[in-house]
Amino acid sequence: MIETTGIRQREAWRDKVLPPVEQVRPGMWSIPVPMPGNPLRYVLVYALALDDGLALVDTGWDSEESWTALTDGIRATGHDVSDVRIAAITHLHPDHFGLVPRVQAASGAAVAMHAADAAFLAYRTPDALRRMKRESDTQLACLGAPEPVVDAGLIDLVRLAEGQTVDVMLGDGDTLDLPGWSLRAVWTPGHTPGHLCFVEETTEVVFTGDHVLPRISPNISVIPGQLPNPLDRYLASLRRTALMPDGETLPAHEYRFRGLAARARDLLHHHDARLDEIAAAVTDRPESTAWDVAAAISWSRPFADMNANLGRLAVRETYSHLLVLASGGRVAGDGPSPVRWSPAPTPVSVP
Ligand SMILES: [Zn+2]
Ligand SMILES: [Zn+2]
């Protein structure tokens, strides 16, 4: 069981409104930054007071509304966005990294993140976009996705402003020694290749990004050119998460809570159940494509009602489970494209 500590955040989540800026420790605040048009509604950016300014954990979605909420939220802490000295980024997704260029332009802040996510920072060159679209199309066709879903398969790119760089490449266990704080990076690959959680050693609070959220399970998708077996990595990251301190969990969405190990175990059970459901679907329908399997299993909304974008997420998530089942010898894929999945043949034991 988890204990919700962000009571006002949970009420706001339930009432579909933005929670307030809150001081969560002396000199530490949560600042909700809206994500226009996204069902997750807001990302929780965290601000930590330094001797000479502020450190941020994540920045928010790149839109005018989000920028206004971030700068107003920082002002509510008694600071100004120009005071930001460093932005520690949990992962490259646009709701976390999106405002980095504007924060850098306003403050000259340094940016710290894991190299495996920094590697995907790209300028929107026509060549890079064409190559990513081609790889995405080929993968979705292999998964048996219908044409409208394949056609919608563009991958989001986030960018640094021209001439800007990632200043600090963080590896597992690296510590950002900030005046008054000690932020230890814990590499938790799965949701993205370079996802980081940050443990603040003096307060024992853990910033979990999207790796562990109190209510929903993060999307774990196979993206061409990224982790070859992301769910396997995610499950290993969750097992490590259960060993982290539990002063309080400060996630990037929904609300803060206590009980990180229990929540990590819940998520492991959720994926075990999902793996069993998918293995059973393959047993019932041998020679299924990943798309067929996605259509046969349960979702929070009917699969047939999903638009092309949701369908793409669903089939890539199904595929991540099929890869874990395949590496465990429970299912096997056959054929170049589309790949068809069947129960793995039982090995014949030689006396
Ligand atoms: Zn994310
Ligand atoms: Zn997110």
Side-chain angles (χ1 to χ4, degrees):
M1 278 289 283
I2 66 166
E3 175 203 347
T4 301
T5 47
I7 303 292
R8 295 174 73 189
Q9 292 173 336
R10 188 176 57 184
E11 284 170 3
W13 177 256
R14 188 195 56 207
D15 298 342
K16 302 192 185 329
V17 296
L18 209 60
V21 174
E22 287 183 274
Q23 182 161 13
V24 293
R25 292 288 183 285
M28 184 191 290
W29 297 267
S30 69
I31 302 173
V33 175
M35 300 162 62
N38 189 301
L40 279 175
R41 295 213 302 279
Y42 56 85
V43 62
L44 295 166
V45 170
Y46 295 94
L48 285 73
L50 309 175
D51 292 346
D52 62 343
L54 270 187
L56 295 183
V57 176
D58 288 334
T59 60
W61 190 270
D62 184 9
S63 77
E64 273 314 308
E65 188 187 344
S66 315
W67 176 249
T68 303
L70 178 68
T71 49
D72 286 355
I74 289 175
R75 217 165 288 126
T77 74
H79 298 83
D80 185 84
V81 69
S82 60
D83 299 336
V84 179
R85 297 289 166 261
I86 185 163
I89 304 297
T90 59
H91 66 297
L92 193 62
H93 283 164
D95 46 329
H96 303 257
F97 186 89
L99 282 172
V100 161
R102 285 188 84 163
V103 170
Q104 279 189 310
S107 64
V111 173
M113 63 191 296
H114 193 280
D117 270 16
F120 295 104
L121 279 169
Y123 295 100
R124 283 177 199 270
T125 63
D127 267 1
L129 276 175
R130 265 195 297 276
R131 181 174 43 79
M132 291 172 87
K133 175 83 173 89
R134 235 185 356 257
E135 288 172 0
S136 170
D137 289 0
T138 306
Q139 183 218 32
L140 289 166
C142 261
L143 301 181
E147 225 162 85
V149 175
V150 175
D151 286 345
L154 244 190
I155 300 165
D156 259 323
L157 279 178
V158 276
R159 287 177 293 170
L160 281 167
E162 195 130 6
Q164 297 285 4
T165 50
V166 172
D167 306 274
V168 186
M169 293 290 186
L170 292 170
D172 187 44
D174 287 350
T175 298
L176 284 174
D177 273 319
L178 307 170
W181 310 101
S182 173
L183 274 188
R184 177 165 55 88
V186 182
W187 187 29
T188 47
H191 181 62
T192 66
H195 191 289
L196 291 174
C197 293
F198 293 101
V199 178
E200 204 293 299
E201 308 270 20
T202 58
T203 53
E204 299 206 321
V205 303
V206 184
F207 302 93
T208 53
D210 282 359
H211 174 60
V212 173
L213 301 170
R215 203 184 59 90
I216 56 173
S217 70
N219 180 273
I220 309 294
S221 278
V222 186
I223 309 288
Q226 300 195 9
L227 295 171
N229 191 341
L231 182 59
D232 190 52
R233 299 297 296 274
Y234 180 65
L235 298 175
S237 296
L238 278 180
R239 283 181 213 110
R240 282 189 72 196
T241 307
L243 306 173
M244 286 183 191
D246 194 21
E248 193 174 7
T249 298
L250 306 182
H253 301 283
E254 303 182 323
Y255 40 85
R256 60 182 194 276
F257 63 96
R258 222 171 263 125
L260 183 54
R263 182 61 187 140
R265 280 193 299 272
D266 281 354
L267 286 163
L268 284 165
H269 289 147
H270 161 80
H271 285 289
D272 276 348
R274 200 68 170 150
L275 287 165
D276 287 345
E277 185 186 6
I278 288 174
V282 172
T283 303
D284 288 348
R285 301 166 191 74
E287 308 254 309
S288 283
T289 65
W291 184 263
D292 299 333
V293 176
I297 59 178
S298 58
W299 296 96
S300 57
R301 70 186 77 201
F303 185 72
D305 294 351
M306 289 188 192
N307 63 25
N309 279 328
L310 290 176
R312 189 182 75 220
L313 286 173
V315 75
R316 284 183 164 154
E317 186 156 299
T318 304
Y319 183 40
S320 75
H321 287 79
L322 285 167
L323 288 178
V324 168
L325 290 170
S327 63
R330 294 172 70 185
V331 303
D334 187 36
S337 182
V339 173
R340 297 193 172 274
W341 297 87
S342 299
T346 321
V348 180
S349 55
V350 181

